[in-house]
Amino acid sequence: MGSSQAPYPFSHVDAHPDPRRLIDTLYGLRSEAFYVSYKQRLLELLRAGPGQRFLDVGAGTGDAAGKLCSTTGAEVVACDLAKVMCAEMRKNGLRHVAVADVQRLPFRDAAFDGAWADRVLQHVEDPGRALGEMVRVVRPGGRIVVFDPDSGTQALNIEDHRLAARVLSLRQTVSLRHSTVARRVPGILTALGLQEIQVETRTLLVRDRKTVDRVMSIRGWADTFADLGHLERAEARRFNTLLDDAIRRGTFLYSVTYFLTSATVTVTGHREDRDTGGLRSANG
């Protein structure tokens, strides 16, 4: 089974042995209060209006892109590196979908009024380059909004604190490419010359069985690390037993803090080029 598991699953969705499971994971988050709340705030920070054009980078199933279109009258181009995600977005009725790598966006300079990346930078190879590309394609005065977890802030309470710490460490190094990129985003945007940089925090707190299984899939973490050879199978079984014990006793707790960073592209240093819809290559 170990060979069927891939590191950084959301970095290589098309290569995943079960991409449908990843898609269903995203759908499972839509009704959870934490995700509904921060996504609403993210879209507010874009300051979108009718007739404007925005870019959703790493758009996944396209839920946020569709909501921005329907609630503000803005146009959204939704892009994702995974072809399977782009197919899902088209199935969901999105009109403007592009298979694209955020590190090499196929759009012209200053083509959009804003761009956002929601839980994306933790998965890309070079977050700094990705942010530079997002800034490049946004017009002067346009908005950049980024949301990612800082997995260095994780806390997990089960009876064996050493085992908990080990699993959280593997969560940082095995599951994610850049587990603490969120804390670096404001500095990167400062270095890129952006203005009005603001940072808000949101902490996800998990204590109940439903959220353990549906939101964070915590029950599968130790088994996945055992499949990949990072944990002994007995350790994974012990982790799951202690997890169930803690939930039953009401002592379980998991938390992680997310950073929501917003900024405005500097008025100088950009080239306006919007008359072709912003696409270097036709992709709908």
Side-chain angles (χ1 to χ4, degrees):
M1 184 174 179
S3 61
S4 70
Q5 298 289 335
Y8 316 134
F10 277 98
S11 298
H12 306 284
V13 175
D14 285 337
H16 194 274
D18 186 8
R20 187 72 233 177
R21 181 168 66 83
L22 301 182
I23 292 172
D24 290 342
T25 295
L26 296 181
Y27 283 136
L29 303 179
R30 292 191 298 185
S31 62
E32 296 295 332
F34 174 82
Y35 293 88
V36 171
S37 175
Y38 91 72
K39 285 177 179 290
Q40 179 62 39
R41 179 58 177 157
L42 186 157
L43 296 182
E44 290 172 357
L45 289 168
L46 288 167
R47 304 173 186 170
Q52 292 185 313
R53 183 183 298 116
F54 288 83
L55 178 66
D56 184 358
V57 170
T61 59
D63 289 345
K67 184 173 183 180
L68 191 72
C69 290
S70 63
T71 59
T72 69
E75 179 182 284
V76 177
V77 175
C79 71
D80 201 286
L81 181 61
K83 294 178 181 178
V84 67
M85 289 293 184
C86 290
E88 192 73 13
M89 286 190 273
R90 292 189 181 98
K91 188 171 72 173
N92 289 336
L94 289 187
R95 294 177 54 201
H96 304 291
V97 177
V99 177
D101 183 348
V102 64
Q103 299 166 111
R104 291 171 288 275
L105 289 172
F107 309 109
R108 302 193 179 196
D109 294 359
F112 298 96
D113 295 287
W116 79 93
D118 180 358
R119 292 176 292 134
V120 172
L121 295 185
Q122 61 184 322
H123 301 301
V124 305
E125 185 176 349
D126 187 341
R129 181 173 179 178
L131 284 169
E133 279 288 274
M134 290 174 66
V135 171
R136 178 184 65 79
V137 302
V138 172
R139 66 167 175 82
R143 298 286 287 166
I144 301 288
V145 183
V146 175
F147 187 78
D148 266 299
D150 186 323
S151 294
T153 67
Q154 291 180 113
L156 191 154
N157 186 54
I158 57 175
E159 186 175 319
D160 188 335
H161 293 174
R162 289 185 178 180
L163 180 58
R166 187 173 179 194
V167 169
L168 291 185
S169 177
L170 289 170
R171 175 78 177 157
Q172 286 187 253
T173 57
V174 175
S175 299
L176 304 170
R177 264 184 167 151
H178 301 284
S179 58
T180 60
V181 67
R183 69 181 69 172
R184 296 193 283 119
V185 169
I188 296 172
L189 294 179
T190 297
L192 289 170
L194 273 69
Q195 301 171 335
E196 295 185 284
I197 298 173
Q198 297 181 333
V199 183
E200 302 176 12
T201 58
R202 297 283 190 279
T203 297
L204 173 65
L205 178 64
V206 178
R207 296 201 63 206
D208 62 286
R209 183 180 299 275
K210 173 186 172 184
T211 314
V212 164
D213 292 335
R214 287 190 55 194
V215 177
M216 296 300 294
S217 303
I218 296 171
R219 192 178 308 281
W221 288 358
D223 287 331
T224 296
F225 299 143
D227 291 342
L228 293 169
H230 298 290
L231 275 181
E232 296 295 330
R233 186 62 61 184
E235 292 177 303
R237 287 195 295 267
R238 175 170 168 75
F239 177 87
N240 292 333
T241 297
L242 294 176
L243 173 64
D244 285 332
D245 288 347
I247 292 172
R248 185 174 61 254
R249 295 197 308 268
T251 60
F252 176 78
L253 180 148
Y254 171 82
S255 70
V256 60
T257 297
Y258 290 69
F259 290 80
L260 178 59
T261 304
S262 60
T264 301
V265 175
T266 310
V267 173
T268 59
H270 270 265
R271 173 173 55 85
E272 284 285 344
D273 190 353
R274 301 168 57 81
D275 56 344
T276 62
L279 288 176
R280 285 180 178 167
S281 57
N283 45 45

